[in-house]
Amino acid sequence: MQKILSIIESMAHEKNLSVESAMEAFKEALLQTARRLEGEENEYEVEIDYDTQSYHLYKVLTVVENDDSRAEEEPEKYITVDEAKKYDEEIEPGDKIRSEIHLEDYGRTAAANLFQELEYHIQRRIEQEIFEKYKAKVGSIIIGTVSRVDDAGNTYVEIGELKGILSLRNRIKGESFKTGDTLKALLRFVSIDPKYGMHLELTRTAPKFLEELMKREVPEIQDGAVEIISSARIPGERAKVALKADRPDIDPIGAAVGQRGVRINAVSDELCGENIDCIEYSPIPEIFITRALSPAVVQNVKIENPNTAEQKAIVDITADQKAKAIGKSGINIRLASMLTKYQIELNEVEGIVERAPSAESQEKSKDLSALENLFK
């Protein structure tokens, strides 16, 4: 018992736990041991003297008036003034009387109980620190090694002290992993299962995963020069990202795409070839919706219910552009709706979008009269 504080410090260093946290665990262990030996109803206090490397455990009684019924009902917590004056003549109601408990008097039983409690509380502290450590990483990218894949398609990943789980529904359609693969995913949340303990829930299908990948690939996003306003994904197929730059000298689309598309292609490769459309954000909803529906060219956008939760946009579009606006299996219009947070309704109007004539369709003119007029 004389070397107990040195033992606590050694345990803290061994288990990568702060000394302060280990000492708090020691206090809790002392209090719980005292409750086992002296009784659950009593009140106890612990003092640790770091200078002398010693501790003191006390049983505490609160002094009350002589006619206070608590002294009879709960004698393990309260004592009357007359009884307390036997120990100290100057004592008054509200003061506390402390009597020290020496665990050595209880022999090996006390030592065994103390170390059992200490081990338990230190383990809880370690788990709490690990929980807080990974809780702070929720919403960021985690890299780990695949340890196994079960029959249900769930992928188990070794990540530091914990194990991550990438379920089938959180995996991009068509991708597969095998034992030993390095896996990159977004930490969705940290959970504690009564049967399996603490584990990390991972995902590769969330729009936030796309955003975090772009932050890694695009320095302007990481530095805050370019901001991701919103994003929408059909995992493994197509995505749209709305970008904004406050500085006029920065092109948000060019920064995200990179020279010859090197940046956006790196993100796309990580997402199994997902096609990513980068769109410049506009605070004007009509312009933002128009850009979100690209490559379709729209004629007009009218906003309905602008100040309600169910915001709706009526988009006038010609017949030749309607298929582009909808996209394959409705992907384009769905992504545009998710990106802008507007319910988009297409209204077909008459007309056709004028196309610039191609180089092949233009006949070379042999009439040089216009050129001759320049030199007259």
Side-chain angles (χ1 to χ4, degrees):
M1 289 294 185
Q2 293 177 352
K3 298 180 180 179
I4 185 67
L5 295 188
S6 297
I7 294 172
I8 301 299
E9 290 181 5
S10 299
M11 290 177 69
H13 293 304
E14 181 184 339
K15 296 182 179 292
N16 198 25
L17 188 68
S18 66
V19 175
E20 293 78 11
S21 187
M23 287 301 174
E24 288 299 319
F26 176 54
K27 286 182 181 180
E28 292 174 8
L30 280 172
L31 293 172
Q32 192 58 36
T33 301
R35 292 187 186 100
R36 285 189 179 187
L37 299 175
E38 291 281 335
E40 293 282 345
E41 301 82 6
N42 298 320
E43 291 185 3
Y44 304 96
E45 288 182 2
V46 175
E47 288 183 358
I48 294 179
D49 190 335
Y50 293 98
D51 295 329
T52 61
Q53 288 287 295
S54 61
Y55 73 91
H56 301 279
L57 176 62
Y58 300 100
K59 182 163 66 174
V60 182
L61 292 174
T62 303
V63 179
V64 295
E65 297 286 356
N66 292 323
D67 58 350
D68 196 318
S69 61
R70 289 180 296 175
E72 292 184 4
E73 295 170 358
E74 300 178 87
E76 68 281 351
K77 292 183 180 179
Y78 302 98
I79 186 172
T80 62
V81 175
D82 289 345
E83 286 292 325
K85 286 186 180 294
K86 296 178 182 178
Y87 305 99
D88 186 351
E89 284 294 332
E90 298 181 357
I91 205 159
E92 296 179 356
D95 293 342
K96 293 184 182 293
I97 295 177
R98 302 193 302 175
S99 57
E100 188 166 1
I101 300 172
H102 298 281
L103 295 181
E104 291 87 344
D105 297 340
Y106 292 88
R108 292 189 176 183
T109 302
N113 284 335
L114 177 60
F115 279 98
Q116 182 181 355
E117 289 292 335
L118 181 60
E119 186 178 28
Y120 172 79
H121 286 290
I122 281 186
Q123 186 59 36
R124 296 289 79 76
R125 291 272 172 173
I126 292 172
E127 290 176 358
Q128 185 63 31
E129 287 200 0
I130 292 173
F131 181 82
E132 294 298 332
K133 171 186 172 183
Y134 283 97
K135 186 179 177 182
K137 294 182 179 181
V138 169
S140 61
I141 290 177
I142 296 289
I143 300 174
T145 305
V146 176
S147 58
R148 71 183 179 93
V149 180
D150 64 18
D151 295 337
N154 299 313
T155 305
Y156 295 84
V157 188
E158 297 291 340
I159 303 168
E161 310 92 334
L162 298 180
K163 181 172 288 186
I165 299 177
L166 179 68
S167 62
L168 185 61
R169 64 185 177 87
N170 288 320
R171 203 174 70 192
I172 297 172
K173 185 178 180 181
E175 69 179 354
S176 60
F177 302 99
K178 61 181 184 297
T179 303
D181 285 351
T182 299
L183 186 144
K184 192 182 293 182
L186 186 83
L187 178 56
R188 194 175 177 192
F189 59 83
V190 186
S191 60
I192 300 176
D193 189 279
K195 184 176 180 181
Y196 299 106
M198 194 183 306
H199 67 273
L200 310 176
E201 181 80 19
L202 307 175
T203 180
R204 285 175 53 84
T205 58
K208 181 70 174 175
F209 183 48
L210 165 62
E211 294 178 16
E212 290 298 313
L213 287 172
M214 291 190 69
K215 282 182 185 179
R216 291 191 169 204
E217 293 294 333
V218 183
E220 289 85 352
I221 295 177
Q222 198 167 29
D223 297 340
V226 175
E227 182 184 356
I228 298 176
I229 302 300
S230 61
S231 63
R233 292 178 65 194
I234 307 294
E237 295 186 42
R238 194 172 174 186
K240 288 180 183 283
V241 184
L243 302 165
K244 172 188 173 185
D246 293 327
R247 290 168 48 184
D249 59 324
I250 295 179
D251 174 18
I253 308 304
V257 172
Q259 189 174 12
R260 297 182 180 178
V262 65
R263 292 175 176 177
I264 204 69
N265 287 340
V267 177
S268 178
D269 291 343
E270 179 62 39
L271 300 176
C272 301
E274 196 167 300
N275 186 16
I276 304 168
D277 297 337
C278 294
I279 298 160
E280 187 171 1
Y281 171 76
S282 172
I284 303 170
E286 290 85 354
I287 297 176
F288 188 30
I289 292 168
T290 299
R291 291 173 179 173
L293 283 169
S294 63
V297 178
V298 305
Q299 300 299 306
N300 184 53
V301 178
K302 181 183 177 183
I303 304 298
E304 292 188 353
N305 310 320
N307 299 318
T308 62
E310 296 182 1
Q311 298 180 109
K312 189 176 181 180
I314 307 296
V315 177
D316 292 340
I317 195 164
T318 57
D320 63 318
Q321 295 294 309
K322 190 172 182 180
K324 289 182 181 180
I326 295 172
K328 183 181 178 181
S329 303
I331 284 180
N332 195 57
I333 194 169
R334 285 165 57 198
L335 287 174
S337 182
M338 289 188 285
L339 188 74
T340 60
K341 308 296 189 295
Y342 279 85
Q343 181 185 345
I344 299 174
E345 182 179 310
L346 300 180
N347 179 39
E348 188 175 329
V349 295
E350 293 183 0
I352 187 168
V353 174
E354 293 183 4
R355 297 177 177 84
S358 62
E360 292 83 359
S361 64
Q362 294 183 24
E363 294 184 5
K364 291 183 180 180
S365 175
K366 296 180 181 179
D367 184 5
L368 302 178
S369 59
L371 186 59
E372 291 174 356
N373 290 333
L374 291 175
F375 295 96
K376 283 183 179 180

